[in-house]
């Protein structure tokens, strides 16, 4: 790669390679505008040495090649700046030592991101890859810093139909709203999402909001009163008249309370998930 021998490897950016499909960034208009901004900054101030790219050396057809696993956006912006006349001869690269696995490089997409943070959807792509590499939800949480419940939310999104995921990727609705539709409507989530986007477009909006989904507005109130609802349900359970309720109602109430009680002793639980379970039951 004709690298210089300074503290950081100094490499001609045109000699750097990327792994096809490795970068989880969604290449939408917003991302292209972000590359444009960085390219303009590089043309004006040069490539900042304090933000090196991350790479590793691989042998390809007997030749050593440096592949980038961190800094895809800055590399793309640099090449754009060069194509427009910027004189960027070399850029700094921190090269990983031998023994680094693909799992390590994938985790680095989240842990080592020095610029624009990955979106929820982009980090969901990373979590799905790590599951395929054999990591458990708990291991992904420990290595990425994302809590286990939020790792599960990301995996829920990645298990949704492609068209629903594309709606999130194209910023037609938020990942949080998509997950709420999945939890609320199950297999009908895609239909509900399409209806919500149609309503949003009818209102002249590019992005669907919760108000467009038809989800009951009482959910917000339920979220605020969740603790009171739990207390009330507990009193119903201990009331002598509880046995007069139908078996179905008794089973539903006992099951929900039992699940919440079990989770109270689990420090890793996300209380938002308990509220979501309660909301879906009330709906």
């Amino acid at each position: 790669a004709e690298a210089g021998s300074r503290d950081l490897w100094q490499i001609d950016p045109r000699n750097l390679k990327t792994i096809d499909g490795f970068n989880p960034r969604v290449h939408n208009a917003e991302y292209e505008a972000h590359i444009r901004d960085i390219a303009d900054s590089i043309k004006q101030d040069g490539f900042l040495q304090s933000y090196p790219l991350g790479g590793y050396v691989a042998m390809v057809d007997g030749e050593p090649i440096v592949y980038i696993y961190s800094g895809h956006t800055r590399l793309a912006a640099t090449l754009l700046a060069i194509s427009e006349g910027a004189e960027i001869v070399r850029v700094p690269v921190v090269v990983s030592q031998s023994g680094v696995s693909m799992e390590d490089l994938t985790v680095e997409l989240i842990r080592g991101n020095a610029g624009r943070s990955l979106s929820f959807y982009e980090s969901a792509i990373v979590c799905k890859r790590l599951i395929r590499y054999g990591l458990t939800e708990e291991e992904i949480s420990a290595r990425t810093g994302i809590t286990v419940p939020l790792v599960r939310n990301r995996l829920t999104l990645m298990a949704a139909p492609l068209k629903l995921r594309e709606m999130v990727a194209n910023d037609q609705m938020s990942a949080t709203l998509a997950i709420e539709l999945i939890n609320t409507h199950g297999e009908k989530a895609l239909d509900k999402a399409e209806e919500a986007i149609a309503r949003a477009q009818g209102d002249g909006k590019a992005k669907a909001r919760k108000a467009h989904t038809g989800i009951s507005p009482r959910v917000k109130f339920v979220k605020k009163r969740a603790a009171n609802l739990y207390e009330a349900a507990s009193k119903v359970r201990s009331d002598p008249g509880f046995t007069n309720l139908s078996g179905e109602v008794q089973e539903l109430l006992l099951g929900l309370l039992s699940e919440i009680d079990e989770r109270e002793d689990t420090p890793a639980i996300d209380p938002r998930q308990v509220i979501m379970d309660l909301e879906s039951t009330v709906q």
Side-chain angles (χ1 to χ4, degrees):
E2 299 180 355
S5 56
R6 290 166 55 183
D7 292 340
L8 299 174
W9 287 27
Q10 299 292 325
I11 305 176
D12 185 334
R14 292 164 294 190
N15 290 336
L16 296 172
K17 304 295 182 183
T18 58
I19 308 170
D20 289 341
F22 183 71
N23 182 11
R25 294 290 189 189
V26 176
H27 286 257
N28 52 22
E30 180 184 359
Y31 182 61
E32 295 300 331
H34 183 55
I35 292 177
R36 175 74 269 168
D37 288 343
I38 296 178
D40 291 340
S41 175
I42 291 174
K43 288 165 68 174
Q44 179 177 338
D45 303 318
F47 192 102
L48 298 180
Q49 293 288 309
S50 56
Y51 292 95
L53 306 176
Y56 69 96
V57 179
M59 298 300 294
V60 179
D61 297 329
E63 296 292 330
I65 302 295
V66 176
Y67 280 88
I68 293 300
Y69 64 83
S70 176
H72 295 87
T73 303
R74 281 169 288 144
L75 177 58
T78 300
L79 296 176
L80 176 58
I82 290 174
S83 72
E84 295 175 348
E87 295 184 4
I88 309 295
V89 180
R90 297 180 189 278
V91 295
V93 182
V94 174
V95 179
S96 296
Q97 301 299 314
S98 59
V100 178
S101 68
M102 186 57 74
E103 291 91 331
D104 296 329
L105 301 182
T106 302
V107 167
E108 193 69 11
L109 289 170
I110 293 178
R111 281 293 195 182
N113 198 313
R116 176 172 172 262
S117 298
L118 296 181
S119 68
F120 188 106
Y121 180 76
E122 291 164 345
S123 63
I125 293 174
V126 175
C127 290
K128 182 63 176 181
R129 282 187 198 164
L130 293 174
I131 283 288
R132 288 176 175 170
Y133 289 145
L135 275 68
T136 65
E137 294 172 350
E138 291 74 16
E139 289 170 335
I140 293 173
S141 176
R143 298 193 65 175
T144 64
I146 302 173
T147 65
V148 172
L150 294 182
V151 168
R152 289 172 182 161
N153 278 350
R154 284 162 169 78
L155 295 175
T156 295
L157 178 61
M158 295 310 295
L162 174 60
K163 192 170 182 179
L164 180 55
R165 301 200 308 268
E166 288 177 341
M167 292 174 183
V168 175
N170 294 327
D171 204 30
Q172 292 179 290
M173 71 169 43
S174 70
T176 302
L177 182 55
I179 292 170
E180 186 168 357
L181 289 174
I182 294 169
N183 290 333
T184 303
H185 299 290
E187 295 179 355
K188 297 182 179 179
L190 176 57
D191 294 336
K192 297 298 182 180
E194 290 176 333
E195 292 172 5
I197 290 175
R199 292 192 191 101
Q201 292 173 344
D203 292 341
K205 307 293 184 181
K207 187 172 184 176
R209 306 291 180 181
K210 191 168 184 177
H212 299 117
T213 63
I215 294 177
S216 173
R218 65 183 173 179
V219 170
K220 186 175 182 180
F221 175 78
V222 169
K223 187 174 295 186
K224 290 182 179 179
R225 306 295 291 177
N228 302 82
L229 285 169
Y230 172 74
E231 182 180 358
S234 298
K235 289 182 178 179
V236 171
R237 175 176 56 183
S238 59
D239 190 275
F242 177 72
T243 55
N244 295 325
L245 297 175
S246 69
E248 182 181 357
V249 173
Q250 289 185 46
E251 183 179 350
L252 175 63
L253 187 61
L254 289 174
L256 177 61
L257 290 173
S258 175
E259 183 178 358
I260 295 175
D261 291 339
E262 289 175 1
R263 293 187 180 188
E264 284 184 345
D265 298 326
T266 308
I269 193 65
D270 187 338
R272 289 170 296 182
Q273 186 61 49
V274 178
I275 293 173
M276 186 176 295
D277 291 343
L278 185 57
E279 290 172 5
S280 62
T281 302
V282 173
Q283 289 174 345

